[in-house]
Coordinates of all heavy atoms in Angstrom, one line a residue:
P5 N 59.1 123.0 103.4 CA 57.9 123.9 103.4 C 56.9 123.4 104.6 O 56.7 122.3 104.7 CB 57.2 123.7 102.0 CG 58.3 123.4 101.2 CD 59.3 122.6 101.9
G6 N 56.5 124.4 105.2 CA 55.5 124.2 106.4 C 56.2 124.1 107.7 O 55.6 124.0 108.8
D7 N 57.6 124.1 107.7 CA 58.5 124.0 109.0 C 58.3 125.3 109.7 O 58.3 125.2 110.9 CB 59.9 123.7 108.6 CG 60.7 123.9 109.8 OD1 60.8 122.8 110.7 OD2 61.3 125.0 110.1
G8 N 58.0 126.3 109.2 CA 57.9 127.6 109.8 C 59.2 128.5 109.9 O 59.2 129.6 110.1
R9 N 60.3 127.8 109.5 CA 61.6 128.4 109.5 C 62.1 128.4 108.1 O 63.4 128.6 108.0 CB 62.6 127.8 110.5 CG 62.1 127.7 111.9 CD 63.0 126.8 112.8 NE 62.8 125.5 112.4 CZ 63.4 124.4 113.0 NH1 64.2 124.6 114.0 NH2 63.3 123.2 112.5
E10 N 61.3 128.3 107.1 CA 61.8 128.3 105.7 C 62.7 129.4 105.4 O 63.6 129.3 104.6 CB 60.7 128.2 104.6 CG 59.7 126.9 104.9 CD 58.6 127.2 105.8 OE1 58.7 127.9 106.9 OE2 57.4 126.8 105.3
F11 N 62.4 130.6 105.9 CA 63.2 131.8 105.6 C 63.8 132.4 106.8 O 64.0 133.6 106.9 CB 62.3 132.8 104.8 CG 61.8 132.2 103.4 CD1 60.4 131.9 103.3 CD2 62.5 131.8 102.4 CE1 59.9 131.4 102.2 CE2 62.1 131.2 101.3 CZ 60.8 131.0 101.2
V12 N 64.2 131.6 107.6 CA 65.1 131.9 108.7 C 66.6 131.5 108.2 O 66.8 130.2 108.3 CB 64.7 131.3 110.1 CG1 65.7 131.6 111.1 CG2 63.3 131.6 110.4
V13 N 67.4 132.3 107.9 CA 68.7 131.9 107.4 C 69.8 132.6 108.1 O 69.7 133.8 108.5 CB 68.8 132.2 105.7 CG1 67.7 131.3 105.0 CG2 68.5 133.6 105.5
T14 N 70.9 131.9 108.2 CA 72.2 132.4 108.8 C 73.3 132.2 108.0 O 73.2 131.3 107.1 CB 72.3 131.7 110.2 OG1 71.2 131.6 110.9 CG2 73.4 132.3 111.1
V15 N 74.4 133.0 108.1 CA 75.5 132.6 107.2 C 75.9 131.3 107.4 O 75.9 130.7 108.4 CB 76.7 133.7 107.6 CG1 76.4 135.1 107.1 CG2 77.0 133.7 109.1
P16 N 76.4 130.7 106.4 CA 76.6 129.2 106.3 C 77.6 128.6 107.3 O 77.7 127.5 107.6 CB 76.9 128.9 104.8 CG 77.4 130.1 104.3 CD 76.7 131.2 105.0
D17 N 78.7 129.5 107.7 CA 79.7 129.1 108.6 C 79.5 129.4 110.1 O 80.3 129.3 110.8 CB 81.1 129.6 108.1 CG 81.0 131.1 108.0 OD1 80.1 131.8 108.4 OD2 82.1 131.7 107.7
A18 N 78.3 129.8 110.4 CA 78.0 130.2 111.9 C 78.1 128.9 112.7 O 77.8 127.8 112.4 CB 76.5 130.7 111.9
V19 N 78.8 129.2 113.8 CA 79.0 128.1 114.9 C 78.4 128.4 116.2 O 78.7 129.5 116.9 CB 80.6 127.9 115.0 CG1 80.8 126.9 116.1 CG2 81.1 127.5 113.7
K20 N 77.7 127.4 116.6 CA 77.1 127.7 118.1 C 78.1 127.0 119.1 O 78.7 125.9 118.8 CB 75.8 126.8 118.2 CG 75.3 126.7 119.6 CD 74.6 127.9 120.2 CE 74.1 127.8 121.5 NZ 73.0 126.7 121.7
V21 N 78.5 127.9 120.1 CA 79.5 127.5 121.0 C 78.9 127.4 122.4 O 78.1 128.3 122.8 CB 80.6 128.6 121.0 CG1 81.6 128.4 122.2 CG2 81.3 128.7 119.7
R22 N 79.4 126.5 123.2 CA 78.9 126.4 124.5 C 80.0 125.8 125.4 O 81.0 125.3 124.9 CB 77.7 125.5 124.5 CG 77.9 124.0 124.0 CD 76.8 123.1 124.3 NE 76.6 123.0 125.7 CZ 75.3 122.4 126.2 NH1 74.4 122.2 125.6 NH2 75.4 122.2 127.5
A23 N 79.8 125.7 126.7 CA 80.7 125.0 127.7 C 80.4 123.6 127.5 O 79.3 123.2 127.3 CB 80.5 125.6 129.1
E24 N 81.5 122.8 127.8 CA 81.4 121.4 127.7 C 82.3 120.7 128.5 O 83.3 120.2 128.3 CB 81.7 121.0 126.2 CG 81.5 119.5 125.8 CD 81.8 119.4 124.3 OE1 82.1 120.4 123.6 OE2 81.8 118.2 123.9
D25 N 81.8 120.7 129.8 CA 82.8 120.0 130.9 C 83.2 118.6 130.6 O 82.4 117.8 130.1 CB 81.9 119.9 132.3 CG 81.8 121.4 132.8 OD1 82.7 122.2 133.0 OD2 80.6 121.7 133.1
G26 N 84.5 118.4 130.7 CA 84.9 117.0 130.6 C 85.5 116.6 129.1 O 85.9 115.6 129.1
R27 N 85.3 117.5 128.2 CA 85.8 117.1 126.9 C 87.2 117.2 126.7 O 87.9 117.9 127.6 CB 85.2 118.0 125.8 CG 85.6 119.5 125.8 CD 85.5 120.2 124.5 NE 86.5 119.8 123.6 CZ 86.8 120.4 122.5 NH1 86.1 121.5 122.0 NH2 87.8 120.1 121.6
S28 N 87.8 116.5 125.7 CA 89.2 116.5 125.6 C 89.6 117.7 124.7 O 88.9 118.2 123.8 CB 89.7 115.2 125.0 OG 89.2 115.0 123.7
V29 N 90.8 118.2 124.7 CA 91.3 119.3 124.1 C 92.8 119.0 123.6 O 93.5 118.5 124.5 CB 91.4 120.6 124.8 CG1 92.0 121.8 124.0 CG2 89.9 121.0 125.1
A30 N 93.2 119.1 122.4 CA 94.4 118.7 122.0 C 95.2 119.9 121.3 O 94.8 120.3 120.1 CB 94.2 117.5 120.8
G31 N 96.1 120.5 122.0 CA 97.1 121.5 121.4 C 96.4 122.7 120.9 O 96.9 123.3 119.9
V32 N 95.4 123.2 121.7 CA 94.6 124.5 121.1 C 95.3 125.7 121.8 O 95.7 125.6 123.1 CB 93.2 124.2 121.5 CG1 92.4 125.6 121.1 CG2 92.6 123.2 120.8
D33 N 95.4 126.7 121.1 CA 96.0 127.9 121.6 C 94.8 128.7 122.3 O 94.0 129.4 121.8 CB 96.5 128.8 120.5 CG 97.1 130.2 121.0 OD1 97.2 130.4 122.2 OD2 97.5 131.0 120.2
L34 N 94.8 128.6 123.8 CA 93.8 129.3 124.5 C 94.3 130.7 125.0 O 93.5 131.3 125.8 CB 93.4 128.3 125.8 CG 93.0 127.0 125.5 CD1 92.6 126.2 126.8 CD2 91.9 126.9 124.5
S35 N 95.4 131.1 124.7 CA 96.1 132.2 125.2 C 95.2 133.6 125.0 O 95.2 134.5 125.9 CB 97.5 132.6 124.7 OG 97.5 132.7 123.2
P36 N 94.3 133.7 124.1 CA 93.6 134.9 124.0 C 92.6 135.0 125.2 O 92.1 136.1 125.5 CB 92.8 134.7 122.7 CG 93.7 133.9 121.8 CD 94.3 133.0 122.8
F37 N 92.2 133.9 125.7 CA 91.2 133.8 126.8 C 91.8 133.3 128.1 O 91.3 133.7 129.2 CB 90.1 132.9 126.4 CG 89.3 133.3 125.2 CD1 89.6 132.7 124.0 CD2 88.5 134.4 125.2 CE1 89.0 133.2 122.8 CE2 87.8 134.8 124.1 CZ 88.1 134.3 122.9
I38 N 92.8 132.4 128.1 CA 93.4 131.8 129.3 C 94.9 131.9 129.2 O 95.5 131.4 128.2 CB 92.9 130.4 129.5 CG1 91.3 130.3 129.5 CG2 93.5 129.8 130.8 CD1 90.7 129.0 129.6
R39 N 95.5 132.5 130.3 CA 97.0 132.5 130.3 C 97.5 132.6 131.7 O 96.6 132.9 132.7 CB 97.4 133.6 129.3 CG 97.1 135.0 130.0 CD 97.7 136.1 129.0 NE 97.3 136.1 127.7 CZ 97.8 136.8 126.8 NH1 98.8 137.7 127.0 NH2 97.4 136.8 125.5
N40 N 98.8 132.4 132.0 CA 99.5 132.6 133.3 C 98.7 131.7 134.2 O 98.4 132.1 135.4 CB 99.2 134.1 133.7 CG 100.0 135.0 132.8 OD1 101.0 134.6 132.2 ND2 99.4 136.1 132.7
L41 N 98.5 130.3 134.0 CA 97.9 129.3 134.8 C 99.0 129.2 136.0 O 100.3 129.2 135.9 CB 97.7 128.1 134.2 CG 96.6 128.1 133.1 CD1 96.5 126.7 132.5 CD2 95.3 128.5 133.8

């Protein structure tokens, strides 16, 4: 209470996605977005 966002609610499984240069990736299927390298 008092935060100002008490009744700002989002579905509980929402995920914020961003670019992240330099991170590691292990065995992920990127083919929907990247293919034919």
Side-chain angles (χ1 to χ4, degrees):
D7 172 80
R9 301 169 295 182
E10 297 95 316
F11 300 114
V12 179
V13 297
T14 311
V15 287
D17 59 0
V19 176
K20 173 72 180 298
V21 171
R22 59 171 295 162
E24 190 179 351
D25 289 308
R27 65 156 286 193
S28 60
V29 176
V32 177
D33 181 4
L34 304 185
S35 62
F37 300 103
I38 301 173
R39 60 176 68 184
N40 301 323
L41 293 177

